[in-house]
Every structure is written in structure tokens, then in C-alpha cells.
Amino acid sequence: MKPIFTTVSEDWKRKPYFDYYYYNIKTKYNINHHIDITDFKNEIKERGLKFFPSMLYVILKIINQSDEFRMGFNEKGKLGCWNYVNPVYTIFHEDDKTFSDMWSEYKPDFQGFYNEIINDIETYKEVREVKARGSQPVNFCPVSSIPWLSFESFSQETYCESTLLYPIIRMGKFYEKDAKVLLPISVFVNHAVADGYHTCKLINDIEEYGKAVSSWI
């Protein structure tokens, strides 16, 4: 796929909200939820697939259907929306408990995406640097996992100004409750580009797409 950046128009309906939350009170927020992945987990287990790259596909598929979560600035500082974003994720080094940041090219079909992630992890798994793969594209979405804890809430913030508009998504340890498999998920959002409605819809859509796994896998 070729990345295409479209700048916002002068009559962009969200401009007053963007200006207010980006320049005035600079609000960011987290929404945490436990989504039902029962059907999804059963399907990928039956097919012998790995959980993380499979769930990463579900998340990126929905992100790339959501204009609000593909907003960013181009190299000239212009605000706009990319036609798609690439996954940025982490590789955990079991022996010394460190991690490396990693990115892969986004593929819209599941098998292409899954193979891309598996091959890239295999290629870069021994790179012991913060950034395992260089030349990270500017159109990206960070997604990582904390598989050691089924957290109730997750929050993060930086102590410096940031132009990052993409969401930051964290997954926790899935667990069983009331005959369901639930996955903690946290979405960190810049309020300038997305309100609670958009973030709740994103999380709900991720859950529903996972439930429909048999129709696209």
C-alpha cells in the first residue's frame, strides 16, 4: 500500500474542538475496558495461530477504518489524515527482561498481515536496541501487550510536549470469567482528535470484529 496524506479542509467540522483541546487545555485521556474475545481466542487456538499478531490485526483493522485515529502532522507540520497506519509494537527479550520497539508494514488481509508480523519478529528478535528496526514511518499506531497482569486500569503520560495524535493501545492478560474469555484493553487518546464517543466506538468495534473472526480469518 502507498501512504497518502490528506490535509484537513478549511471547513473541517472538528477544527474548533481540535484547537481547544490541542492548544488551550491540551487534554489527553485513557479509556479502559475488558472485551469479550471468547470466539476469537477459540478460533485462533483451533487454527494453531499465535495470539498477539492475530489480535494486533484486529486492532489495526479497526484503527484503519477510523479517520479520527489516523490523524497526524506531515513533515511540513500540516494537520491531516493518513489513508492507513502501520503497527508499532514491542518484542520482549525473555532472558534479560528488556524489550525492543518494532514496526511492520500494514497489510489489509489477515494472512498477509499475520505473515508480515511473524517474519519481522523472527528477523529482528535478536536486535537488542530500543528501536529494533530503523526508518519507522510517520504513519503508525503503537500497540503493545502487558501479558503478566489482567489490569483494571492503565494510564500513561509524558512530561514533555508531544505532537502525537495517534492512539496508544495496551492489552493485558486475558482471563476467564462466567464462561467467557476477557481481554483488558486500554486506549490512550489525544482529545483534540477524538471524543469519548469515538474511543468507545473503537473499542466496541474491536470487540465485534473479533467476534466475527470466522468471517475473515
Side-chain angles (χ1 to χ4, degrees):
M1 294 176 65
K2 180 181 179 181
I4 300 172
F5 185 80
T6 304
T7 56
V8 298
S9 61
E10 289 298 323
D11 60 350
W12 181 43
K13 64 181 180 181
R14 190 170 178 82
K15 189 176 188 308
Y17 303 92
F18 180 88
D19 291 345
Y20 183 68
Y21 287 117
Y22 190 80
Y23 297 110
N24 293 349
I25 62 174
K26 302 182 180 181
T27 305
K28 300 174 185 178
Y29 64 90
N30 273 85
I31 290 184
N32 302 279
H33 188 55
H34 292 201
I35 63 174
D36 182 358
I37 61 165
T38 309
D39 295 338
F40 171 79
K41 183 176 178 297
N42 289 341
E43 186 75 25
I44 64 168
K45 182 179 180 180
E46 184 176 322
R47 293 172 179 263
L49 299 169
K50 293 181 179 296
F51 179 82
F52 180 76
S54 302
M55 193 65 209
L56 186 62
Y57 171 76
V58 174
I59 293 171
L60 264 293
K61 186 71 173 182
I62 300 304
I63 287 288
N64 280 318
Q65 294 176 357
S66 312
D67 292 350
E68 297 81 13
F69 300 105
R70 289 181 280 110
M71 300 288 296
F73 296 97
N74 66 8
E75 66 280 358
K76 298 180 180 179
K78 297 291 186 180
L79 175 66
C81 182
W82 293 95
N83 59 327
Y84 74 95
V85 292
N86 297 293
V88 169
Y89 52 98
T90 53
I91 300 175
F92 185 70
H93 307 299
E94 187 63 48
D95 55 350
D96 62 1
K97 314 305 181 194
T98 61
F99 73 90
S100 296
D101 218 30
M102 179 66 194
W103 69 272
S104 294
E105 292 280 353
Y106 175 72
K107 306 293 183 184
D109 64 291
F110 173 73
Q111 198 59 57
F113 183 98
Y114 185 89
N115 292 341
E116 189 82 5
I117 300 297
I118 293 295
N119 291 338
D120 284 347
I121 290 176
E122 181 63 28
T123 299
Y124 293 94
K125 66 181 181 181
E126 297 302 329
V127 179
R128 302 304 179 98
E129 299 177 14
V130 175
K131 297 290 185 181
R133 183 180 184 182
S135 303
Q136 180 177 303
V138 295
N139 55 321
F140 68 92
C141 177
V143 181
S144 62
S145 178
I146 308 175
W148 309 281
L149 183 68
S150 302
F151 59 75
E152 290 298 325
S153 179
F154 182 93
S155 182
Q156 75 175 60
E157 183 56 281
T158 57
Y159 290 95
C160 61
E161 291 291 332
S162 171
T163 59
L164 183 71
L165 298 178
Y166 307 120
I168 301 175
I169 300 176
R170 298 284 184 267
M171 294 181 281
K173 179 181 179 181
F174 58 75
Y175 64 98
E176 293 187 18
K177 183 179 180 181
D178 300 330
K180 294 181 179 180
V181 180
L182 302 177
L183 176 71
I185 189 167
S186 175
V187 184
F188 177 71
V189 179
N190 192 315
H191 203 345
V193 295
D195 303 323
Y197 165 80
H198 305 104
T199 306
C200 291
K201 184 177 186 304
L202 178 78
I203 295 172
N204 288 333
D205 287 350
I206 288 171
E207 182 176 51
E208 291 306 311
Y209 195 69
K211 288 180 178 180
V213 57
S214 60
S215 68
W216 51 258
I217 199 166

